[in-house]
Amino acid sequence: MKLKKVISAVMALTMTATVLAGCGGSGETQQAPAADNKSDSTQQEAPKEEAKEETKEEETQTDAAEEAPVEEQVLKVAAFEGGYGAEMWSEVTAAFEASHPGVTVELTVDKKLEDVISPSMKAGDYPDVVHLATGREAALTETLTKENALLPLTDVLEMTVPGEDVKVKDKIVPGFLDTLATNPYGDGVTYYAPMFYSPCGLFYNAGLFKEKGWDVPTTWEEMWALGDTAAADGIALFTYPTTGYFDAFTYATLSSAGGSDFFNSCMTYEDGIWESENASKVFNLIEKLGTYTEATTVANANNDNFTKNQQLILDNKAIFCPNGTWLPGEMADAPRADGFEWGFMAIPAVNEGGAGCSFCWFEQMWIPAAAENQDMAKEFVAYMYSDEAAQIFAKAAAIQPITGVSDYLEGDNKMFYSIYDNGATAVMGGFAATAPVEGVNMLDVLCGTVNSIVSGDKTVEEWQAAVEDASDKLRAAME
């Protein structure tokens, strides 16, 4: 299952800028003063002898450096084991050790990483590097952020990628460093290093569309029409794994409804923003989508049974399911209807004439401010953007947001990561960090209520008011 949310998110856009500078002389040629041959020879020989001495000195220094003992260091790396598995972390840390003599990586990988590392952290024993995204139920990353307990990584962006001749900031796909998902305080300082990214959208059975002769909808009016047509065949328009998957869905619809400025206003708790016309469009859209949702969805929308909802699109019992690019791997061994073929599309445009949107979810890596080996921790973070590391990750379908990463992709992944090339607008970011507010979790209020909307236990008016109330409380707690 994907990291429960709480990734950017996005896109395979690459921009390279090269600046050439040159200096020119006057164009005149000046003649050196005349000298006899003996004088020339004497003047030339002295520098040669000096050069020999300098060469010997450099060789001596090089030999000494080569013979100097390597400083032994232990780097503690803690990584969440998501849908990509644990093996890639063992392989990438081994490659890092090989390229950094004297460094031993003490690796911890676990599906419940918070439970493993939190007790030690409370005792003052911190990992040096942590790969753990925002948006998880335990909210460890958010808690440390609110406590100002993370190390700024802006200087890492200026570092040269180990083994390469390019700076980290120039290796990362444009857009990933200009979002609250990397700069949580909105002050332009990077605290989260963007990791594995995944465009989010609606997955479907492309084979079913071919069989039925259906066109893939690009607007919500076309979606509703398709839902009515499919209902005649006993097929629901929509399902979802859990309400946690409505973060990416809602972010995309918010951006489509009101644009990026409106989206950012929502993410920073602007007064009255959740009661606005554009927000109402999104609340009402989700309510209507609930009437097109497969009947068993709510009962199975939990951590134990979410795959039953995902199975609905493989069995042609529902058409669309919101998810990220990890879904095909997660359902790789599941049975499916004859002729099944993965399809993937952006969230349709909310406004007539607008573009579809795809939220780009990405994971994060960070360094605790209390980390013991901060310099080597920064070196490890910089190494995450090397071609060597990216190729190791890509074998597990974990895609780093670096330029040229598509060269490592094949099959369905090429289709998934081309969504932005096909006209979808990329949406990235998340809610701004605040001081802790007891009993208030914005994602719980915004997304967790969806089950109650679909079941009819709550009204849109109640939902919208609760979200605005939570936003008010968090706005007052913004740092």
Side-chain angles (χ1 to χ4, degrees), residues 9 23 33 55 65 85 112 134 140-141 149 161 164 177 193 210 231 235 295 367 375 409 415 429 437 449 467 470 475:
C23 298
T55 300
K112 295 183 178 180
T134 55
L140 177 60
T141 300
V161 177
E164 301 180 9
L177 300 175
K210 293 177 182 178
I235 304 173
I367 299 175
D375 289 341
L409 306 182
M415 173 185 66
V437 178
T449 307
V467 173
R475 181 175 63 257

Side-chain angles (χ1 to χ4, degrees), residues 70-372:
V70 176
E71 181 182 358
E72 299 290 334
Q73 295 186 58
V74 175
L75 185 71
K76 298 178 181 178
V77 175
F80 171 74
E81 181 185 348
Y84 308 121
E87 179 57 32
M88 66 179 189
W89 286 108
S90 298
E91 188 173 348
V92 81
T93 52
F96 180 78
E97 289 176 335
S99 62
H100 292 75
V103 176
T104 299
V105 176
E106 186 179 288
L107 178 63
T108 300
V109 184
D110 201 278
K111 293 180 179 179
K112 295 183 178 180
L113 187 65
E114 299 94 333
D115 295 344
V116 175
I117 65 176
S118 290
S120 297
M121 291 170 63
K122 291 177 180 178
D125 183 11
Y126 285 76
D128 296 307
V129 182
V130 181
H131 164 256
L132 186 69
T134 55
R136 288 177 54 75
E137 185 174 5
L140 177 60
T141 300
E142 288 90 338
T143 298
L144 292 176
T145 302
K146 293 170 184 177
E147 294 174 351
N148 295 308
L150 301 182
L151 192 71
L153 300 181
T154 303
D155 56 342
V156 174
L157 304 179
E158 298 294 335
M159 293 173 60
T160 299
V161 177
E164 301 180 9
D165 59 359
V166 60
K167 289 185 177 181
V168 171
K169 67 178 183 180
D170 296 325
K171 195 73 181 289
I172 297 174
V173 171
F176 276 85
L177 300 175
D178 303 314
T179 166
L180 290 171
T182 51
N183 309 332
Y185 303 113
D187 58 0
V189 179
T190 299
Y191 286 84
Y192 306 150
M195 292 289 286
F196 320 127
Y197 81 111
S198 173
C200 296
L202 299 177
F203 283 80
Y204 61 94
N205 177 6
L208 179 63
F209 277 74
K210 293 177 182 178
E211 177 188 333
K212 298 290 187 180
W214 295 339
D215 293 326
V216 176
T218 58
T219 69
W220 282 101
E221 290 306 314
E222 292 176 356
M223 285 283 282
W224 308 138
L226 176 61
D228 294 337
T229 298
D233 290 338
I235 304 173
L237 178 68
F238 189 72
T239 187
Y240 54 90
T242 69
T243 58
Y245 284 71
F246 269 89
D247 54 0
F249 182 95
T250 305
Y251 294 158
T253 52
L254 287 169
S255 185
S256 181
S260 59
D261 289 343
F262 169 72
F263 173 73
N264 288 332
S265 294
C266 292
M267 297 300 103
T268 52
Y269 320 107
E270 181 178 302
D271 189 19
I273 196 67
W274 294 100
E275 298 171 325
S276 65
E277 179 182 355
N278 285 325
S280 294
K281 290 179 183 179
V282 175
F283 285 116
N284 291 328
L285 185 153
I286 294 175
E287 179 191 35
K288 185 170 182 177
L289 187 57
T291 66
Y292 285 88
T293 297
E294 204 276 338
T296 64
T297 294
V298 172
N300 292 317
N302 53 65
N303 290 341
D304 295 324
N305 298 314
F306 71 95
T307 56
K308 292 181 179 179
N309 289 339
Q310 294 175 170
Q311 184 68 40
L312 293 173
I313 63 170
L314 277 71
D315 292 339
N316 290 337
K317 293 181 180 178
I319 299 176
F320 293 110
C321 179
N323 221 301
T325 54
W326 55 85
L327 176 63
E330 197 168 60
M331 303 299 289
D333 298 327
R336 59 204 63 207
D338 292 340
F340 182 89
E341 178 184 339
W342 285 111
F344 184 57
M345 60 177 274
I347 307 299
V350 172
N351 300 315
E352 184 177 355
C357 288
S358 168
F359 181 79
C360 180
W361 169 255
F362 59 89
E363 302 176 24
Q364 294 116 325
M365 176 174 279
W366 39 271
I367 299 175
E372 182 177 351

